[in-house]
């Protein structure tokens, strides 16, 4: 069996974008791992990490320099309602993503029932390459998959477009009480 060429690091992949970097998130919970401290603080008292904290030290500068090159960085999240604690945490920290230049929208899972979606979260870079973020059943990140397959790119392009068009902008998405 031929070996796949080594995939670009995520930073190199985002640095390669010229027009857009589109991210679709499909899970209601991810293993917390390196987020444990900030996640626990959020659960305890609703606090979120400052933009200049260690938590954001890699991500926010990467997004800022990507957006500064004229690349649109868009993130769409399909979420179950009522939201899980983890998605409430993501919602609470999303303002930092916005300040860095990301555009973020939310789509209640109930409204996604008729959409054809891939089986994993993905990043689509300039309609040229897809990086699938693969997770174990308990939310641990596994080795990502990359493809330049035209049919897969077409599926992901259309899926993202449909989700984006149906989704609500972060500024307008309201969390409903869980009761």
């Amino acid at each position: 069996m031929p070996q796949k060429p080594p995939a670009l690091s995520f930073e190199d992949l985002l640095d390669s974008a010229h027009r857009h970097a589109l991210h679709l998130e499909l899970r209601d919970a991810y293993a917390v791992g390196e987020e444990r401290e900030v996640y626990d603080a959020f659960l305890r008292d609703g606090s979120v990490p400052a933009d200049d904290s260690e938590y954001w030290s890699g991500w926010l500068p990467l997004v800022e320099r990507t957006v500064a090159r004229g690349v649109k960085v868009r993130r769409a999240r399909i979420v179950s309602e009522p939201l899980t604690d983890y998605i409430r945490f993501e919602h609470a920290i999303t303002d930092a993503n916005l300040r860095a230049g990301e555009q973020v929208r939310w789509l209640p899972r109930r409204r996604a029932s008729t959409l054809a979606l891939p089986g994993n979260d993905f990043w689509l870079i300039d309609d040229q390459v897809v990086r699938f973020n693969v997770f174990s059943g308990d939310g641990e990140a596994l080795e990502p998959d990359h493809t330049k397959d035209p049919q897969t790119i077409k599926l992901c392009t259309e899926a993202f477009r449909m989700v984006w068009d149906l989704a609500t902008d972060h500024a307008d998405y309201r969390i409903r009480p869980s009761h």
Side-chain angles (χ1 to χ4, degrees):
M1 176 180 255
Q3 295 217 328
K4 289 195 300 190
L8 292 173
S9 72
F10 182 75
E11 187 172 344
D12 289 342
L13 187 66
L14 209 55
D15 282 343
S16 76
H18 297 289
R19 293 180 296 119
H20 61 249
L22 310 176
H23 185 36
L24 182 61
E25 296 180 5
L26 303 165
R27 297 179 59 93
D28 286 318
Y30 296 84
V32 177
E34 68 275 355
E35 298 176 325
R36 175 57 59 195
E37 257 183 68
V38 294
Y39 181 63
D40 286 347
F42 171 77
L43 292 177
R44 198 172 38 256
D45 60 20
S47 62
V48 296
D51 290 7
D52 62 355
S53 69
E54 178 64 28
Y55 178 81
W56 289 114
S57 65
W59 183 248
L60 296 183
L62 177 58
V63 171
E64 288 167 348
R65 78 171 184 250
T66 301
V67 171
R69 292 194 327 270
V71 176
K72 289 183 179 175
V73 179
R74 293 183 172 162
R75 179 187 305 260
R77 293 176 170 138
I78 297 177
V79 296
S80 299
E81 292 178 325
L83 302 178
T84 63
D85 286 342
Y86 187 85
I87 297 300
R88 288 176 181 282
F89 165 68
E90 281 193 331
H91 188 271
I93 66 173
T94 295
D95 285 342
N97 298 81
L98 299 176
R99 286 189 294 273
E102 280 189 63
Q103 299 170 42
V104 180
R105 292 187 180 178
W106 302 81
L107 181 63
R109 192 170 309 282
R110 180 176 296 279
R111 296 188 55 215
S113 295
T114 61
L115 303 182
L117 300 169
N120 292 294
D121 292 10
F122 67 83
W123 280 91
L124 174 63
I125 308 297
D126 291 339
D127 302 327
Q128 299 295 311
V129 63
V130 175
R131 172 193 163 115
F132 287 108
N133 292 340
V134 182
F135 296 90
S136 67
D138 61 1
E140 291 289 337
L142 303 175
E143 189 68 28
D145 289 330
H146 294 78
T147 185
K148 292 183 176 185
D149 173 67
Q151 287 303 106
T152 304
I153 289 170
K154 182 180 177 184
L155 168 70
C156 292
T157 299
E158 185 64 14
F160 189 88
R161 185 193 61 75
M162 289 186 305
V163 169
W164 191 257
D165 289 349
L166 285 173
T168 302
D169 188 74
H170 178 74
D172 299 321
Y173 182 71
R174 302 291 173 248
I175 296 178
R176 297 184 177 130
S178 51
H179 300 91

